[in-house]
Amino acid sequence: MKFKSRVSLSLLSLLLYASLAMAADTQLGSVAPGAAPAPVNSGVKPAAETTSGNSAAPSPAVAEAPAPKPDTVTIRLNAPLLSPKFSSTPLAVVNDDIITFEDLKSAIGMIHSGMGTEQAAPKKNFADVLKRLVNVRLMVQEARNIGLDKDEQIKPAMDEFKKQLLRDTLLNEQVKDIAADEKDVARIARERSMEWRLKSLVVGQLSTVKAFEAEIKAGNPFDKVYDSFVSDGRGKKGGNVEEFIARDAIDPTMLVALEKLKVGDTGKPVAIEKGYVIYRVEEIRTKDDPKMVEQVRQELTSQRRVAALKKFNDSLVKKYVKMKKLYKTLDYENKKIPFEKLLKDNRVIAEIQGEKPLTVADFSDAVSAKFFHGVKRAIESKKVNKEKDAILEEILSGIVIDKEARLRRIDQTEEYHNKVKSKEDTLLFGQFMQKVVVPEVTITRDETKAYYTEHAKDFISPASYLLDAIAFYSPEKAEEAVNKLRTGTDFKWYKANAEGQDSISTRYEAFFEGNPVALDELPAKMKQALSGSAKGDYRPFVDGTIGYVLAVVDYQAPAPLPYETVEGVIREKVSYMKLNDNIESWSTKLRKASEVTVYADFTQQEKP
């Protein structure tokens, strides 16, 4: 069957080796049509050929000749990497432990990533990935050989993993087909990506707002009234009328009003720190933002799945649990009943079909664990009774979900066993690294200093700025201020006396607190505004309707970092390098003592 796959790297070239008997006349002589050739090198003479009930004598030449040595036939298989039909195809065998396509996909992070056979696979050196898989298998096998699988840290971790895997598998099965309604996704994404272009006026007094509104009610056009208020100084332009403003840059109170307005509508005046903003909607647009759409899709899908899981959980509780009236009478804040007494109370509060009943003592123990800072303090603060229903729901959910998973035999599936083995292998590899490989790694100061010398260009301090700023109600005002400051006006005096100032956004306050700020820490637009600046420069910066003057108080160019400053980082780098070397050494040693067969041939792997 021909696959439709157009996946980059999808046709992964493999060599599958098989010892096949060759029915060549030159080796075995003639074979009658329809007759099966004798197995080669089997140690058994060919059976006599039977036709219509008559036995034919075997050829003396074949019977007496020694069995020929079989040829090895190499078959190259073009296998789509992401096709599930090849998931179990072996790529390598490590002491009878098979590494499959599925293992390779898992290693490169493509399982459960939503990728189909038509999509592009990630750019990876698959030969290196497979080599690492082989090395890991060798170390895991060695970990078992030296008894690390009996380590006391492994069993409890595996028990918890198996328990959680059962639950996750069952719950995932309930929601795997649940997705967001695409109509809702499109609608909400559109709303969240809306941008507005506004014509706004900033005024200082409420009386001025009322005067503006009165003229509008009298029938005067908005533009005419706007221009008159600007010209006589009663108001100031509130930003660039040609600039669109994203919703995340708009005051939440104003945003609520904006979302209800249409183009041409005038919004209700919005109070700001130093007056009011009067505005009209000039234009509304939405951006095509695939990331926003995907974010909304995930949010809505999550909401629907949570609701479905709640419904499923409630159905299991109803199916398996019978609550006793005793539960409702439990009062953990009753001072007449010591909590210690409840920890020994074996009365049943819930009967669970086929399971151990839940007693007051069991429940009280869970309550105690919930308030690990002290249940007595929680009782005194009257927090326990408020939380007891939630604690009960958590307990019962765990019990009934575990029960349902076992009844559905999830723990007997191949997928479950593969995941358990994979987890155990991961833990064993970690133990082998921690107890065998890592202890052999040692680092000297001479080595770290040598690394510092060889990689000096990697240890350079980033460029940094010491900044100050003035915010204005409009970008035009900020441009005007920049021009004045560049002609010699004192910055501190201007900041104290300039008119039309606004408050610096809380998003930017940290950049102007008198501490050096690395260039990479600045927002992209601010970095762009400061590009090429030096000490003493002034640059305009616009954020929505607010204009800023950025004052470069000081500038530090990139410079080499002292060894003492980066010694810790270098030790980590050198340690990582030596650790990899040690891993490679162990892998080589284990490989020599093992039987490793690699079937995959990546030399003709399709390139993306």
Side-chain angles (χ1 to χ4, degrees):
M1 178 178 180
K2 185 176 181 181
F3 286 88
K4 296 180 181 179
S5 177
R6 293 293 181 272
V7 184
S8 299
L9 298 182
S10 67
L11 299 182
L12 178 62
S13 297
L14 299 176
L15 287 180
L16 300 181
Y17 298 102
S19 295
L20 303 178
M22 300 300 291
D25 290 341
T26 55
Q27 292 182 346
L28 299 178
S30 299
V31 179
V40 178
N41 204 26
S42 64
V44 179
K45 293 181 180 181
E49 181 178 334
T50 303
T51 305
S52 301
N54 297 322
S55 297
S59 166
V62 174
E64 295 177 4
K69 184 177 180 180
D71 287 346
T72 297
V73 175
T74 298
I75 301 176
R76 189 180 301 279
L77 173 65
N78 285 334
L81 174 61
L82 302 179
S83 171
K85 295 184 179 181
F86 290 90
S87 292
S88 60
T89 301
L91 300 181
V93 179
V94 183
N95 294 323
D96 296 328
D97 192 358
I98 298 174
I99 297 175
T100 66
F101 257 105
E102 197 78 358
D103 296 322
L104 182 68
K105 288 190 287 184
S106 179
I108 59 179
M110 296 191 315
I111 292 181
H112 306 310
S113 64
M115 299 182 69
T117 58
E118 299 293 329
Q119 293 175 278
K123 297 180 181 180
K124 293 281 185 181
N125 186 326
F126 288 177
D128 285 347
V129 176
L130 182 58
K131 180 181 178 182
R132 287 196 292 271
L133 284 174
V134 170
N135 291 345
V136 168
R137 294 293 175 92
L138 288 168
M139 292 186 188
V140 168
Q141 291 170 4
E142 181 65 10
R144 285 196 172 92
N145 290 338
I146 62 178
L148 291 182
D149 55 332
K150 306 296 191 298
D151 192 286
E152 59 182 13
Q153 295 180 8
I154 297 291
K155 188 178 185 305
M158 285 305 303
D159 289 344
E160 182 61 30
F161 175 79
K162 291 175 184 178
K163 183 177 180 181
Q164 193 60 49
L165 179 60
L166 271 177
R167 294 179 179 179
D168 290 346
T169 305
L170 175 63
L171 297 179
N172 288 336
E173 183 67 25
Q174 310 311 308
V175 299
K176 65 180 182 180
D177 297 324
I178 295 177
D181 186 318
E182 287 302 314
K183 291 182 180 179
D184 291 337
V185 172
R187 174 179 57 80
I188 294 174
R190 186 169 57 252
E191 291 173 356
R192 291 188 184 180
S193 63
M194 288 176 67
E195 296 181 331
W196 292 264
R197 187 167 63 82
L198 306 175
K199 188 170 186 177
S200 58
L201 182 75
V202 178
V203 301
Q205 303 293 330
L206 181 60
S207 58
T208 309
V209 173
K210 293 184 179 299
F212 188 98
E213 292 176 332
E215 292 200 32
I216 296 295
K217 287 180 181 179
N220 294 313
F222 182 93
D223 291 330
K224 182 179 178 181
V225 179
Y226 179 95
D227 291 340
S228 68
F229 271 59
V230 171
S231 62
D232 62 21
R234 285 181 292 171
K236 298 169 183 168
K237 292 182 179 180
N240 186 355
V241 71
E242 301 302 324
E243 184 178 273
F244 280 89
I245 308 171
R247 64 186 295 121
D248 59 358
I250 298 173
D251 180 88
T253 304
M254 185 176 178
L255 181 60
V256 171
L258 268 179
E259 290 178 325
K260 300 176 182 177
L261 300 179
K262 299 177 181 177
V263 173
D265 288 349
T266 300
K268 291 184 178 181
V270 176
I272 57 177
E273 185 177 352
K274 296 181 180 180
Y276 299 85
V277 176
I278 302 168
Y279 63 93
R280 182 180 67 188
V281 179
E282 302 294 293
E283 189 177 350
I284 302 173
R285 73 181 184 186
T286 57
K287 293 191 302 181
D288 183 13
D289 188 346
K291 289 185 178 179
M292 173 68 75
V293 172
E294 183 56 30
Q295 180 182 341
V296 172
R297 181 179 290 115
Q298 290 181 8
E299 287 179 11
L300 297 186
T301 298
S302 178
Q303 291 172 11
R304 293 190 67 185
R305 289 182 174 181
V306 168
L309 289 178
K310 178 69 167 63
K311 184 177 180 181
F312 176 67
N313 181 75
D314 291 346
S315 70
L316 293 181
V317 172
K318 184 177 180 180
K319 178 180 178 181
Y320 294 123
V321 179
K322 181 179 180 181
M323 292 300 301
K324 298 291 186 178
K325 294 180 180 180
L326 173 62
Y327 171 74
K328 292 186 178 180
T329 68
L330 280 180
D331 182 3
Y332 284 96
E333 293 161 14
N334 186 343
K335 296 181 179 180
K336 296 181 180 180
I337 305 176
F339 185 77
E340 290 76 11
K341 183 177 180 180
L342 296 176
L343 287 170
K344 300 176 182 178
D345 190 337
N346 290 321
R347 289 179 295 166
V348 174
I349 59 174
E351 291 181 347
I352 305 166
Q353 189 182 121
E355 305 291 333
K356 177 185 174 183
L358 182 66
T359 66
V360 174
D362 297 330
F363 185 67
S364 299
D365 188 56
V367 168
S368 179
K370 176 72 175 180
F371 298 99
F372 53 86
H373 288 306
V375 69
K376 290 184 178 180
R377 185 187 304 174
I379 290 172
E380 291 172 359
S381 303
K382 298 189 180 300
K383 295 180 179 178
V384 178
N385 285 345
K386 293 179 182 179
E387 293 288 334
K388 76 171 194 172
D389 286 351
I391 297 171
L392 178 68
E393 182 179 359
E394 184 178 345
I395 295 172
L396 294 180
S397 294
I399 295 173
V400 298
I401 288 172
D402 289 348
K403 178 180 179 66
E404 185 72 9
R406 291 194 303 272
L407 288 174
R408 297 191 186 194
R409 300 179 182 274
I410 290 175
D411 55 345
Q412 297 180 28
T413 63
E414 182 179 0
E415 181 181 6
Y416 174 86
H417 286 296
N418 288 341
K419 288 181 178 180
V420 168
K421 182 181 182 302
S422 177
K423 178 63 175 181
E424 187 176 47
D425 286 353
T426 300
L427 292 176
L428 285 173
F429 177 75
Q431 287 291 86
F432 187 79
M433 292 291 294
Q434 181 182 345
K435 296 193 173 184
V436 178
V437 180
V438 173
E440 296 178 352
V441 176
T442 58
I443 305 169
T444 66
R445 188 176 178 84
D446 288 342
E447 289 174 323
T448 56
K449 282 193 170 183
Y451 185 92
Y452 174 75
T453 302
E454 293 170 9
H455 300 82
K457 65 180 184 299
D458 296 335
F459 302 104
I460 305 294
S461 65
S464 65
Y465 286 94
L466 184 61
L467 300 172
D468 204 343
I470 308 174
F472 292 93
Y473 286 131
S474 71
E476 292 84 358
K477 190 68 178 176
E479 287 278 4
E480 179 185 329
V482 167
N483 292 332
K484 287 184 178 181
L485 290 165
R486 285 176 176 172
T487 60
T489 301
D490 182 73
F491 179 83
K492 290 184 178 179
W493 179 89
Y494 197 78
K495 186 173 183 179
N497 297 281
E499 294 182 356
Q501 293 191 45
D502 198 350
S503 299
I504 292 175
S505 170
T506 54
R507 288 181 295 172
Y508 305 131
E509 286 177 348
F511 303 135
F512 313 122
E513 294 180 342
N515 300 313
V517 182
L519 178 62
D520 291 342
E521 296 177 8
L522 295 173
K525 285 187 177 181
M526 193 175 290
K527 282 196 287 187
Q528 184 177 359
L530 290 167
S531 178
S533 62
K535 181 178 180 179
D537 279 353
Y538 299 99
R539 297 293 180 90
F541 168 65
V542 178
D543 180 42
T545 60
I546 306 299
Y548 290 86
V549 174
L550 301 179
V552 182
V553 179
D554 196 9
Y555 170 74
Q556 295 294 328
L561 291 167
Y563 169 79
E564 290 72 16
T565 304
V566 296
E567 183 177 7
V569 174
I570 292 174
R571 286 189 66 84
E572 288 184 9
K573 290 180 177 292
V574 174
S575 175
Y576 181 76
M577 291 167 53
K578 297 190 75 172
L579 182 61
N580 279 335
D581 290 343
N582 206 25
I583 290 173
E584 190 65 30
S585 175
W586 265 100
S587 300
T588 301
K589 180 166 57 176
L590 292 173
R591 194 161 185 153
K592 287 180 179 178
S594 304
E595 186 176 343
V596 178
T597 305
V598 177
Y599 298 122
D601 174 16
F602 299 104
T603 56
Q604 296 187 31
Q605 169 185 317
E606 283 197 355
K607 302 299 179 184

